[in-house]
Amino acid sequence: LVPAAVGSLSAAFPELAEQQGHVQAVIADEEAAFSSMLSRGIKEFNSRAEAIKQTGGGGFDGASAFFLYDSMGFPLDLTELMAREAGLAVDVSGFQAAMEEQKARSAAAAAASKGDGALLTLGPEQTARLADEGVAFTDDSFKFDLGADAGATVRAIYGAGGFVDAAEAGGGETLGVVLDRSSFFSQAGGQVPDVGSLVEAGGGATFRVSSVQSFGGYVLHVGSLESGSLSAGDSVACNVDGERRRRISKSHTLTHAINLALHQVLGEGVSQKGSLVDDSKARFDFSHGKAMSAAECERVEALVRTMVAEALPVHIQTVPLDKALAINNLRAVFGERYPDPVRVVSIGPEVPALLAAPESDEWEQYSIELCGGTHIPSTSDFGSFALVEECAVAKGVRRVVGVAGELAAEAEAAGAALQSRLPQPAAGA
């Protein structure tokens, strides 16, 4: 089927002809994986069916049917078909209940990843109300400069019951504060949000910020009022946890370095599938059909360490989107919608040099990406680097985790200690 599809569609999609071998390999791998899954599922089904018959049961309960689906990849309709052939029933309503429980657990896990930011959200109704009341979008352009004057004005206070004019400390309620301007980075692009505090200009109120989320142009600072009272119209100072931000920025720049190293080691088939950037690690998900070998992991680690040793400067500039996309070796996330103009983050060459000679082959050796996150000034700020994990996330998607600085040194020490415990080869072996 693949040659026929390529022959029919390659005029419109010429890249298909170049990737025909890869497509056929992926399909063959999927067929083999499905066959293996089906064999395991049938074995598990038969084992459970036999146990049901021996105990005089009437069929598969919802939990058993869901286990076959969730853990064995066995479709419900196939379970029902095979159950009928064996003279057994399937509790479909119980299966659906188990499915809803799993969805609830998944939603809870996703909410937990946002911390307090998941407790309050501004939906279309709330953002429309802010717009109707003349509240302008939050100017968060100060978020890239920790030293910028972050004086701001409270424009709205939002709680579980809706908008309020003022709030008092002591209630323990989670609140969201909308400002006219902010130096806090809201969660975006895999980068976790800033934390810190908002301090009323007269010192009468302190609002502890535990999460920051953006909704339709309005930045919501989520947290709790620790002291005093806060009202719409009050002036506050934005105090970002600067040390934490610097560690997060280090991790974000690290994902760019890892991305480049993966391309150099594994080839152009690698594309970013996700990331998580926090104050302790850089987690990077990418497309790749098999586990990386130990040698490949070592090469990636060595390449990033070379970048550390070279102390490459990190340059950031906002440029027109079309000019950015013309730069050779530019990395962008497939399907992502980028603003115009867009921020270009280059590790090594200055952005004007990239724009002056966008097609230069020289750029192949550097990390150049479109990115709206925060970064460190130089790769020397990593201090050191260690690749601490490589694993599967989904079919055709791998994950690596890297750490820098003291955490990298700790990882290296732990590795050396483990190595010393292994049997050493005999002399001359």
Side-chain angles (χ1 to χ4, degrees), residues 339-358:
D340 190 4
V342 68
R343 294 174 83 233
V344 174
V345 178
S346 171
I347 301 179
E350 296 183 355
V351 178
L354 301 175
L355 299 176

PDB file of all heavy atoms in Angstrom, residues 339-358:
ATOM      1  N   PRO A 339       4.172  33.427  17.229  1.00  0.00           N
ATOM      2  CA  PRO A 339       3.767  34.811  16.963  1.00  0.00           C
ATOM      3  C   PRO A 339       4.645  35.430  15.883  1.00  0.00           C
ATOM      4  O   PRO A 339       5.698  34.906  15.534  1.00  0.00           O
ATOM      5  CB  PRO A 339       3.985  35.487  18.323  1.00  0.00           C
ATOM      6  CG  PRO A 339       5.085  34.700  18.957  1.00  0.00           C
ATOM      7  CD  PRO A 339       4.849  33.278  18.523  1.00  0.00           C
ATOM      8  N   ASP A 340       4.222  36.534  15.369  1.00  0.00           N
ATOM      9  CA  ASP A 340       4.993  37.273  14.375  1.00  0.00           C
ATOM     10  C   ASP A 340       5.012  38.745  14.796  1.00  0.00           C
ATOM     11  O   ASP A 340       3.967  39.395  14.781  1.00  0.00           O
ATOM     12  CB  ASP A 340       4.364  37.136  12.986  1.00  0.00           C
ATOM     13  CG  ASP A 340       5.257  37.684  11.879  1.00  0.00           C
ATOM     14  OD1 ASP A 340       6.395  38.096  12.184  1.00  0.00           O
ATOM     15  OD2 ASP A 340       4.803  37.689  10.722  1.00  0.00           O
ATOM     16  N   PRO A 341       6.162  39.259  15.224  1.00  0.00           N
ATOM     17  CA  PRO A 341       7.507  38.664  15.197  1.00  0.00           C
ATOM     18  C   PRO A 341       7.685  37.600  16.285  1.00  0.00           C
ATOM     19  O   PRO A 341       6.847  37.435  17.163  1.00  0.00           O
ATOM     20  CB  PRO A 341       8.412  39.870  15.430  1.00  0.00           C
ATOM     21  CG  PRO A 341       7.575  40.805  16.249  1.00  0.00           C
ATOM     22  CD  PRO A 341       6.177  40.649  15.721  1.00  0.00           C
ATOM     23  N   VAL A 342       8.832  36.889  16.206  1.00  0.00           N
ATOM     24  CA  VAL A 342       9.092  35.761  17.081  1.00  0.00           C
ATOM     25  C   VAL A 342      10.497  35.861  17.665  1.00  0.00           C
ATOM     26  O   VAL A 342      11.383  36.473  17.061  1.00  0.00           O
ATOM     27  CB  VAL A 342       8.926  34.442  16.296  1.00  0.00           C
ATOM     28  CG1 VAL A 342      10.028  34.313  15.245  1.00  0.00           C
ATOM     29  CG2 VAL A 342       8.905  33.226  17.207  1.00  0.00           C
ATOM     30  N   ARG A 343      10.685  35.264  18.867  1.00  0.00           N
ATOM     31  CA  ARG A 343      12.013  35.281  19.504  1.00  0.00           C
ATOM     32  C   ARG A 343      12.874  34.147  18.952  1.00  0.00           C
ATOM     33  O   ARG A 343      12.458  32.994  18.937  1.00  0.00           O
ATOM     34  CB  ARG A 343      11.892  35.132  21.019  1.00  0.00           C
ATOM     35  CG  ARG A 343      11.221  36.292  21.699  1.00  0.00           C
ATOM     36  CD  ARG A 343      11.024  35.997  23.180  1.00  0.00           C
ATOM     37  NE  ARG A 343      12.221  36.278  23.970  1.00  0.00           N
ATOM     38  CZ  ARG A 343      12.805  35.429  24.783  1.00  0.00           C
ATOM     39  NH1 ARG A 343      12.353  34.189  24.888  1.00  0.00           N
ATOM     40  NH2 ARG A 343      13.866  35.777  25.503  1.00  0.00           N
ATOM     41  N   VAL A 344      14.075  34.491  18.522  1.00  0.00           N
ATOM     42  CA  VAL A 344      15.067  33.509  18.086  1.00  0.00           C
ATOM     43  C   VAL A 344      16.119  33.389  19.176  1.00  0.00           C
ATOM     44  O   VAL A 344      16.676  34.390  19.619  1.00  0.00           O
ATOM     45  CB  VAL A 344      15.718  33.930  16.756  1.00  0.00           C
ATOM     46  CG1 VAL A 344      16.855  32.979  16.399  1.00  0.00           C
ATOM     47  CG2 VAL A 344      14.693  33.965  15.641  1.00  0.00           C
ATOM     48  N   VAL A 345      16.367  32.152  19.619  1.00  0.00           N
ATOM     49  CA  VAL A 345      17.389  31.898  20.637  1.00  0.00           C
ATOM     50  C   VAL A 345      18.521  31.131  19.973  1.00  0.00           C
ATOM     51  O   VAL A 345      18.339  30.016  19.489  1.00  0.00           O
ATOM     52  CB  VAL A 345      16.819  31.098  21.821  1.00  0.00           C
ATOM     53  CG1 VAL A 345      17.915  30.815  22.836  1.00  0.00           C
ATOM     54  CG2 VAL A 345      15.670  31.861  22.475  1.00  0.00           C
ATOM     55  N   SER A 346      19.690  31.733  19.935  1.00  0.00           N
ATOM     56  CA  SER A 346      20.858  31.146  19.267  1.00  0.00           C
ATOM     57  C   SER A 346      21.976  30.929  20.273  1.00  0.00           C
ATOM     58  O   SER A 346      22.371  31.862  20.988  1.00  0.00           O
ATOM     59  CB  SER A 346      21.340  32.069  18.143  1.00  0.00           C
ATOM     60  OG  SER A 346      22.573  31.626  17.615  1.00  0.00           O
ATOM     61  N   ILE A 347      22.474  29.696  20.344  1.00  0.00           N
ATOM     62  CA  ILE A 347      23.614  29.392  21.215  1.00  0.00           C
ATOM     63  C   ILE A 347      24.868  29.396  20.347  1.00  0.00           C
ATOM     64  O   ILE A 347      25.155  28.448  19.624  1.00  0.00           O
ATOM     65  CB  ILE A 347      23.452  28.029  21.899  1.00  0.00           C
ATOM     66  CG1 ILE A 347      22.169  27.991  22.731  1.00  0.00           C
ATOM     67  CG2 ILE A 347      24.653  27.731  22.791  1.00  0.00           C
ATOM     68  CD1 ILE A 347      21.917  26.675  23.434  1.00  0.00           C
ATOM     69  N   GLY A 348      25.599  30.493  20.407  1.00  0.00           N
ATOM     70  CA  GLY A 348      26.806  30.646  19.600  1.00  0.00           C
ATOM     71  C   GLY A 348      26.762  31.904  18.751  1.00  0.00           C
ATOM     72  O   GLY A 348      27.148  32.986  19.215  1.00  0.00           O
ATOM     73  N   PRO A 349      26.306  31.809  17.502  1.00  0.00           N
ATOM     74  CA  PRO A 349      26.328  32.979  16.621  1.00  0.00           C
ATOM     75  C   PRO A 349      25.283  34.024  17.010  1.00  0.00           C
ATOM     76  O   PRO A 349      24.224  33.690  17.550  1.00  0.00           O
ATOM     77  CB  PRO A 349      26.012  32.376  15.241  1.00  0.00           C
ATOM     78  CG  PRO A 349      25.251  31.132  15.539  1.00  0.00           C
ATOM     79  CD  PRO A 349      25.822  30.601  16.810  1.00  0.00           C
ATOM     80  N   GLU A 350      25.596  35.282  16.741  1.00  0.00           N
ATOM     81  CA  GLU A 350      24.644  36.353  16.992  1.00  0.00           C
ATOM     82  C   GLU A 350      23.523  36.292  15.965  1.00  0.00           C
ATOM     83  O   GLU A 350      23.735  35.881  14.816  1.00  0.00           O
ATOM     84  CB  GLU A 350      25.353  37.708  16.947  1.00  0.00           C
ATOM     85  CG  GLU A 350      26.398  37.881  18.041  1.00  0.00           C
ATOM     86  CD  GLU A 350      27.032  39.264  18.009  1.00  0.00           C
ATOM     87  OE1 GLU A 350      26.724  40.042  17.076  1.00  0.00           O
ATOM     88  OE2 GLU A 350      27.830  39.565  18.921  1.00  0.00           O
ATOM     89  N   VAL A 351      22.345  36.717  16.363  1.00  0.00           N
ATOM     90  CA  VAL A 351      21.174  36.627  15.485  1.00  0.00           C
ATOM     91  C   VAL A 351      21.346  37.476  14.213  1.00  0.00           C
ATOM     92  O   VAL A 351      20.977  37.022  13.127  1.00  0.00           O
ATOM     93  CB  VAL A 351      19.887  37.005  16.244  1.00  0.00           C
ATOM     94  CG1 VAL A 351      18.675  36.970  15.314  1.00  0.00           C
ATOM     95  CG2 VAL A 351      19.659  36.052  17.423  1.00  0.00           C
ATOM     96  N   PRO A 352      21.890  38.702  14.281  1.00  0.00           N
ATOM     97  CA  PRO A 352      22.097  39.463  13.033  1.00  0.00           C
ATOM     98  C   PRO A 352      22.944  38.703  12.022  1.00  0.00           C
ATOM     99  O   PRO A 352      22.719  38.797  10.805  1.00  0.00           O
ATOM    100  CB  PRO A 352      22.793  40.739  13.506  1.00  0.00           C
ATOM    101  CG  PRO A 352      22.296  40.926  14.903  1.00  0.00           C
ATOM    102  CD  PRO A 352      22.209  39.542  15.462  1.00  0.00           C
ATOM    103  N   ALA A 353      23.928  37.935  12.497  1.00  0.00           N
ATOM    104  CA  ALA A 353      24.760  37.149  11.576  1.00  0.00           C
ATOM    105  C   ALA A 353      23.925  36.056  10.920  1.00  0.00           C
ATOM    106  O   ALA A 353      24.101  35.759   9.727  1.00  0.00           O
ATOM    107  CB  ALA A 353      25.932  36.529  12.332  1.00  0.00           C
ATOM    108  N   LEU A 354      23.003  35.454  11.668  1.00  0.00           N
ATOM    109  CA  LEU A 354      22.120  34.439  11.098  1.00  0.00           C
ATOM    110  C   LEU A 354      21.236  35.032  10.014  1.00  0.00           C
ATOM    111  O   LEU A 354      21.005  34.422   8.961  1.00  0.00           O
ATOM    112  CB  LEU A 354      21.245  33.829  12.199  1.00  0.00           C
ATOM    113  CG  LEU A 354      21.958  33.141  13.373  1.00  0.00           C
ATOM    114  CD1 LEU A 354      20.936  32.701  14.410  1.00  0.00           C
ATOM    115  CD2 LEU A 354      22.763  31.943  12.888  1.00  0.00           C
ATOM    116  N   LEU A 355      20.725  36.222  10.276  1.00  0.00           N
ATOM    117  CA  LEU A 355      19.827  36.872   9.313  1.00  0.00           C
ATOM    118  C   LEU A 355      20.577  37.358   8.079  1.00  0.00           C
ATOM    119  O   LEU A 355      20.001  37.413   6.988  1.00  0.00           O
ATOM    120  CB  LEU A 355      19.115  38.055   9.992  1.00  0.00           C
ATOM    121  CG  LEU A 355      18.228  37.713  11.200  1.00  0.00           C
ATOM    122  CD1 LEU A 355      17.670  38.980  11.830  1.00  0.00           C
ATOM    123  CD2 LEU A 355      17.085  36.793  10.774  1.00  0.00           C
ATOM    124  N   ALA A 356      21.845  37.700   8.256  1.00  0.00           N
ATOM    125  CA  ALA A 356      22.639  38.203   7.125  1.00  0.00           C
ATOM    126  C   ALA A 356      22.983  37.092   6.145  1.00  0.00           C
ATOM    127  O   ALA A 356      23.099  37.335   4.936  1.00  0.00           O
ATOM    128  CB  ALA A 356      23.914  38.870   7.634  1.00  0.00           C
ATOM    129  N   ALA A 357      23.145  35.868   6.641  1.00  0.00           N
ATOM    130  CA  ALA A 357      23.473  34.726   5.771  1.00  0.00           C
ATOM    131  C   ALA A 357      22.652  33.516   6.214  1.00  0.00           C
ATOM    132  O   ALA A 357      23.191  32.535   6.746  1.00  0.00           O
ATOM    133  CB  ALA A 357      24.968  34.415   5.840  1.00  0.00           C
ATOM    134  N   PRO A 358      21.341  33.566   6.021  1.00  0.00           N
ATOM    135  CA  PRO A 358      20.450  32.539   6.574  1.00  0.00           C
ATOM    136  C   PRO A 358      20.698  31.127   6.040  1.00  0.00           C
ATOM    137  O   PRO A 358      20.395  30.152   6.729  1.00  0.00           O
ATOM    138  CB  PRO A 358      19.058  33.039   6.188  1.00  0.00           C
ATOM    139  CG  PRO A 358      19.278  33.927   5.005  1.00  0.00           C
ATOM    140  CD  PRO A 358      20.595  34.587   5.262  1.00  0.00           C
TER     141      PRO A 358
END
